[in-house]
Amino acid sequence: MRARAAGSTVRKDPIPRIKALVFPAALLPALYLWFATLTGNLGANPIEALIRGHGDWALRFLLLTLAITPLRRLSRWGGIMRFRRMLGLFAFFYATIHLLGYLVLDQFFAWGAIVEDIIERPFITVGMAACVLLVPLAITSTRKMQRRLGGRRWLRLHRLVYPAAALAVLHFYLMVKADTREPLIYAFLLAILLLMRLPPVAWAITRKP
Amino acid sequence: PDFPGLKQSRFSVDEPPTSWESVTTYNNFYEFGTGKEDPAENAHTLVTDPWSVTVEGEVEKPGSYTFEDLLKPHTLEERVYRMRCVEGWSMVIPWVGFPLANLIRRLGPTSRAKYVEFTTLHDPQQMPGQRRTVLDWPYVEALRIDEAMHPLTLMAVGLYGRELPNQNGAPLRLVVPWKYGFKSIKSIVRIRLTEKQPQNTWNEMAPHEYGFYANVNPAVSHPRWSQARERRIGEFLKRDTLPFNGYAEQVAHLYKGMDLERFY
């Protein structure tokens, strides 16, 4: 990223302007869900719809975040990397509300029931683990923390995003009663994004003329 | 109203009914899609008139009955029942129907009739959800004969004084208020009395998750849902789930001596 700054010329950097559009766009699903809740348009079970809606978007933003590196290789546009942190933090944002929704709206702080859920219900165990894994990534997302940890250690820590994404998909899969189509679509997309990181695949993509 | 002069049943509960809107838009009826809103959206393709029900097995009067013939001898009444879904939500629904026992008595069960099996229509043309094998179609449910003969067990043809909307299992469905909702099979086309315990769809699909009995029981968790509490649709805080969904006084004797942790 710094190398790019050195090479920049008088041309104005377009990325801040694009970011200024991506940011409100990424907030739209949340605004929609909250607005629909307040106006009573989220169906017969708004608590369930609100929690699931945020969970869906947490998963989508996780996959979008994981798509950045493969897209950079395919497009050879380094600038795309500068959206990764924002997308990752949105994944964290939606996951946090998803989790708070479960703790506050669904269980209303019934800690006994919550602990029992975590221990006894695999889909909750797995979902909780995914959320926990995202916390250090969000905390160390700032440039300052990046510098403090040092590039290598920071990179190694942020590989936690892979198990977090896998657990998030598994969480969805285990929750579904019979119709596994939707979680399997997420699993398929995640598999592609991970495959594209395998050294031979990554190399082939990058080398493409 | 479609059924004028309905009598209120003495089995009705005195709790505020869930709104018509919620009862008719938040449904599990996988024949029309696996989303809760899917049935309300897709069930218009179901043709409920004409409708006939095949009666077979251990009965003296087997045969194919038209919906009208099946219904004619029975006096309909309104029954406000609690409905508890295995997923941890519940409703209070004013059904219109008649006791299943009356129908079975009319059909004349033989001495070998130990169970009653029900089958939902299987027609992917009318039920688009059946185009995918989400479940092993057709949907089948069953009761022990004493459960079927219990005065609480209802054959429903309406709700809120109106004919059943398609998404709620038109034109004829079962309602067993002390069992999880999936036992209350919808859009019935076949009733079979048997000597052996029939398979039921969810039990076959995931035997460790859904038992044959499926009695509402706060003490026995489902692997994915604690059954200790439930969210009544329209309420914010969860409430405690009652044994046999609050009907223990009437039905607990049916299971005397049974280990309900094993026979869940």
Side-chain angles (χ1 to χ4, degrees), chain A residues 74-87:
Chain A
L74 280 169
S75 68
R76 297 167 164 230
W77 178 45
I80 197 171
M81 294 302 280
R82 288 164 66 191
F83 293 92
R84 191 170 63 176
R85 170 169 51 195
M86 186 195 268
L87 294 174

PDB file of all heavy atoms in Angstrom, chain A residues 74-87:
ATOM      1  N   LEU A  74      -7.031 -11.303 -10.068  1.00  0.00           N
ATOM      2  CA  LEU A  74      -7.700 -11.383 -11.370  1.00  0.00           C
ATOM      3  C   LEU A  74      -7.647 -10.058 -12.096  1.00  0.00           C
ATOM      4  O   LEU A  74      -7.400 -10.003 -13.301  1.00  0.00           O
ATOM      5  CB  LEU A  74      -9.176 -11.782 -11.171  1.00  0.00           C
ATOM      6  CG  LEU A  74      -9.454 -13.261 -10.941  1.00  0.00           C
ATOM      7  CD1 LEU A  74     -10.909 -13.451 -10.502  1.00  0.00           C
ATOM      8  CD2 LEU A  74      -9.178 -14.071 -12.197  1.00  0.00           C
ATOM      9  N   SER A  75      -7.855  -8.958 -11.353  1.00  0.00           N
ATOM     10  CA  SER A  75      -7.970  -7.650 -12.001  1.00  0.00           C
ATOM     11  C   SER A  75      -6.626  -6.945 -12.097  1.00  0.00           C
ATOM     12  O   SER A  75      -6.462  -6.028 -12.876  1.00  0.00           O
ATOM     13  CB  SER A  75      -8.933  -6.775 -11.206  1.00  0.00           C
ATOM     14  OG  SER A  75      -8.351  -6.466  -9.939  1.00  0.00           O
ATOM     15  N   ARG A  76      -5.702  -7.391 -11.284  1.00  0.00           N
ATOM     16  CA  ARG A  76      -4.398  -6.736 -11.162  1.00  0.00           C
ATOM     17  C   ARG A  76      -4.543  -5.275 -10.762  1.00  0.00           C
ATOM     18  O   ARG A  76      -3.734  -4.425 -11.142  1.00  0.00           O
ATOM     19  CB  ARG A  76      -3.614  -6.826 -12.483  1.00  0.00           C
ATOM     20  CG  ARG A  76      -3.317  -8.252 -12.814  1.00  0.00           C
ATOM     21  CD  ARG A  76      -2.844  -8.381 -14.218  1.00  0.00           C
ATOM     22  NE  ARG A  76      -2.225  -9.675 -14.363  1.00  0.00           N
ATOM     23  CZ  ARG A  76      -1.034  -9.855 -14.899  1.00  0.00           C
ATOM     24  NH1 ARG A  76      -0.348  -8.820 -15.331  1.00  0.00           N
ATOM     25  NH2 ARG A  76      -0.549 -11.050 -15.013  1.00  0.00           N
ATOM     26  N   TRP A  77      -5.606  -5.025 -10.042  1.00  0.00           N
ATOM     27  CA  TRP A  77      -5.804  -3.665  -9.547  1.00  0.00           C
ATOM     28  C   TRP A  77      -5.547  -3.668  -8.045  1.00  0.00           C
ATOM     29  O   TRP A  77      -6.360  -4.116  -7.258  1.00  0.00           O
ATOM     30  CB  TRP A  77      -7.223  -3.177  -9.839  1.00  0.00           C
ATOM     31  CG  TRP A  77      -7.505  -1.792  -9.317  1.00  0.00           C
ATOM     32  CD1 TRP A  77      -6.687  -0.708  -9.429  1.00  0.00           C
ATOM     33  CD2 TRP A  77      -8.658  -1.369  -8.572  1.00  0.00           C
ATOM     34  NE1 TRP A  77      -7.247   0.392  -8.819  1.00  0.00           N
ATOM     35  CE2 TRP A  77      -8.466   0.020  -8.277  1.00  0.00           C
ATOM     36  CE3 TRP A  77      -9.812  -1.983  -8.130  1.00  0.00           C
ATOM     37  CZ2 TRP A  77      -9.402   0.768  -7.572  1.00  0.00           C
ATOM     38  CZ3 TRP A  77     -10.744  -1.241  -7.428  1.00  0.00           C
ATOM     39  CH2 TRP A  77     -10.542   0.138  -7.150  1.00  0.00           C
ATOM     40  N   GLY A  78      -4.399  -3.169  -7.661  1.00  0.00           N
ATOM     41  CA  GLY A  78      -4.007  -3.180  -6.255  1.00  0.00           C
ATOM     42  C   GLY A  78      -4.915  -2.338  -5.381  1.00  0.00           C
ATOM     43  O   GLY A  78      -5.094  -2.610  -4.204  1.00  0.00           O
ATOM     44  N   GLY A  79      -5.527  -1.341  -5.953  1.00  0.00           N
ATOM     45  CA  GLY A  79      -6.370  -0.409  -5.201  1.00  0.00           C
ATOM     46  C   GLY A  79      -7.510  -1.092  -4.489  1.00  0.00           C
ATOM     47  O   GLY A  79      -7.992  -0.631  -3.445  1.00  0.00           O
ATOM     48  N   ILE A  80      -7.931  -2.232  -5.020  1.00  0.00           N
ATOM     49  CA  ILE A  80      -9.077  -2.936  -4.443  1.00  0.00           C
ATOM     50  C   ILE A  80      -8.789  -3.371  -3.008  1.00  0.00           C
ATOM     51  O   ILE A  80      -9.690  -3.493  -2.189  1.00  0.00           O
ATOM     52  CB  ILE A  80      -9.477  -4.137  -5.332  1.00  0.00           C
ATOM     53  CG1 ILE A  80     -10.897  -4.601  -4.967  1.00  0.00           C
ATOM     54  CG2 ILE A  80      -8.480  -5.276  -5.206  1.00  0.00           C
ATOM     55  CD1 ILE A  80     -11.453  -5.625  -5.906  1.00  0.00           C
ATOM     56  N   MET A  81      -7.486  -3.559  -2.709  1.00  0.00           N
ATOM     57  CA  MET A  81      -7.118  -3.987  -1.359  1.00  0.00           C
ATOM     58  C   MET A  81      -7.564  -2.978  -0.312  1.00  0.00           C
ATOM     59  O   MET A  81      -7.758  -3.313   0.845  1.00  0.00           O
ATOM     60  CB  MET A  81      -5.602  -4.179  -1.250  1.00  0.00           C
ATOM     61  CG  MET A  81      -5.064  -5.321  -2.085  1.00  0.00           C
ATOM     62  SD  MET A  81      -5.821  -6.894  -1.685  1.00  0.00           S
ATOM     63  CE  MET A  81      -4.899  -7.331  -0.222  1.00  0.00           C
ATOM     64  N   ARG A  82      -7.700  -1.754  -0.733  1.00  0.00           N
ATOM     65  CA  ARG A  82      -8.032  -0.712   0.243  1.00  0.00           C
ATOM     66  C   ARG A  82      -9.490  -0.761   0.699  1.00  0.00           C
ATOM     67  O   ARG A  82      -9.890   0.014   1.556  1.00  0.00           O
ATOM     68  CB  ARG A  82      -7.673   0.662  -0.332  1.00  0.00           C
ATOM     69  CG  ARG A  82      -6.146   0.833  -0.371  1.00  0.00           C
ATOM     70  CD  ARG A  82      -5.720   1.956  -1.238  1.00  0.00           C
ATOM     71  NE  ARG A  82      -6.137   3.245  -0.712  1.00  0.00           N
ATOM     72  CZ  ARG A  82      -6.070   4.378  -1.413  1.00  0.00           C
ATOM     73  NH1 ARG A  82      -5.606   4.350  -2.656  1.00  0.00           N
ATOM     74  NH2 ARG A  82      -6.461   5.512  -0.879  1.00  0.00           N
ATOM     75  N   PHE A  83     -10.275  -1.693   0.094  1.00  0.00           N
ATOM     76  CA  PHE A  83     -11.665  -1.850   0.547  1.00  0.00           C
ATOM     77  C   PHE A  83     -11.814  -2.999   1.544  1.00  0.00           C
ATOM     78  O   PHE A  83     -12.852  -3.184   2.131  1.00  0.00           O
ATOM     79  CB  PHE A  83     -12.586  -2.123  -0.653  1.00  0.00           C
ATOM     80  CG  PHE A  83     -12.690  -0.954  -1.574  1.00  0.00           C
ATOM     81  CD1 PHE A  83     -11.836  -0.829  -2.659  1.00  0.00           C
ATOM     82  CD2 PHE A  83     -13.621   0.051  -1.331  1.00  0.00           C
ATOM     83  CE1 PHE A  83     -11.922   0.262  -3.495  1.00  0.00           C
ATOM     84  CE2 PHE A  83     -13.702   1.151  -2.167  1.00  0.00           C
ATOM     85  CZ  PHE A  83     -12.850   1.266  -3.252  1.00  0.00           C
ATOM     86  N   ARG A  84     -10.711  -3.760   1.686  1.00  0.00           N
ATOM     87  CA  ARG A  84     -10.833  -4.999   2.446  1.00  0.00           C
ATOM     88  C   ARG A  84     -11.180  -4.745   3.908  1.00  0.00           C
ATOM     89  O   ARG A  84     -12.069  -5.383   4.457  1.00  0.00           O
ATOM     90  CB  ARG A  84      -9.537  -5.804   2.348  1.00  0.00           C
ATOM     91  CG  ARG A  84      -9.684  -7.195   2.881  1.00  0.00           C
ATOM     92  CD  ARG A  84      -8.493  -8.047   2.566  1.00  0.00           C
ATOM     93  NE  ARG A  84      -7.291  -7.528   3.197  1.00  0.00           N
ATOM     94  CZ  ARG A  84      -6.102  -8.137   3.145  1.00  0.00           C
ATOM     95  NH1 ARG A  84      -5.981  -9.266   2.464  1.00  0.00           N
ATOM     96  NH2 ARG A  84      -5.057  -7.613   3.739  1.00  0.00           N
ATOM     97  N   ARG A  85     -10.468  -3.781   4.511  1.00  0.00           N
ATOM     98  CA  ARG A  85     -10.720  -3.531   5.918  1.00  0.00           C
ATOM     99  C   ARG A  85     -12.165  -3.075   6.151  1.00  0.00           C
ATOM    100  O   ARG A  85     -12.836  -3.531   7.077  1.00  0.00           O
ATOM    101  CB  ARG A  85      -9.762  -2.471   6.459  1.00  0.00           C
ATOM    102  CG  ARG A  85     -10.165  -2.027   7.858  1.00  0.00           C
ATOM    103  CD  ARG A  85      -9.133  -1.190   8.529  1.00  0.00           C
ATOM    104  NE  ARG A  85      -8.690  -0.093   7.687  1.00  0.00           N
ATOM    105  CZ  ARG A  85      -7.592   0.614   7.915  1.00  0.00           C
ATOM    106  NH1 ARG A  85      -6.833   0.323   8.942  1.00  0.00           N
ATOM    107  NH2 ARG A  85      -7.251   1.591   7.111  1.00  0.00           N
ATOM    108  N   MET A  86     -12.631  -2.189   5.284  1.00  0.00           N
ATOM    109  CA  MET A  86     -13.994  -1.681   5.468  1.00  0.00           C
ATOM    110  C   MET A  86     -15.015  -2.812   5.387  1.00  0.00           C
ATOM    111  O   MET A  86     -15.931  -2.927   6.215  1.00  0.00           O
ATOM    112  CB  MET A  86     -14.312  -0.625   4.407  1.00  0.00           C
ATOM    113  CG  MET A  86     -15.654   0.046   4.616  1.00  0.00           C
ATOM    114  SD  MET A  86     -16.174   0.950   3.161  1.00  0.00           S
ATOM    115  CE  MET A  86     -15.500   2.552   3.524  1.00  0.00           C
ATOM    116  N   LEU A  87     -14.842  -3.692   4.400  1.00  0.00           N
ATOM    117  CA  LEU A  87     -15.783  -4.800   4.248  1.00  0.00           C
ATOM    118  C   LEU A  87     -15.691  -5.759   5.432  1.00  0.00           C
ATOM    119  O   LEU A  87     -16.706  -6.234   5.950  1.00  0.00           O
ATOM    120  CB  LEU A  87     -15.512  -5.546   2.936  1.00  0.00           C
ATOM    121  CG  LEU A  87     -15.783  -4.730   1.673  1.00  0.00           C
ATOM    122  CD1 LEU A  87     -15.340  -5.499   0.429  1.00  0.00           C
ATOM    123  CD2 LEU A  87     -17.264  -4.367   1.572  1.00  0.00           C
TER     124      LEU A  87
END
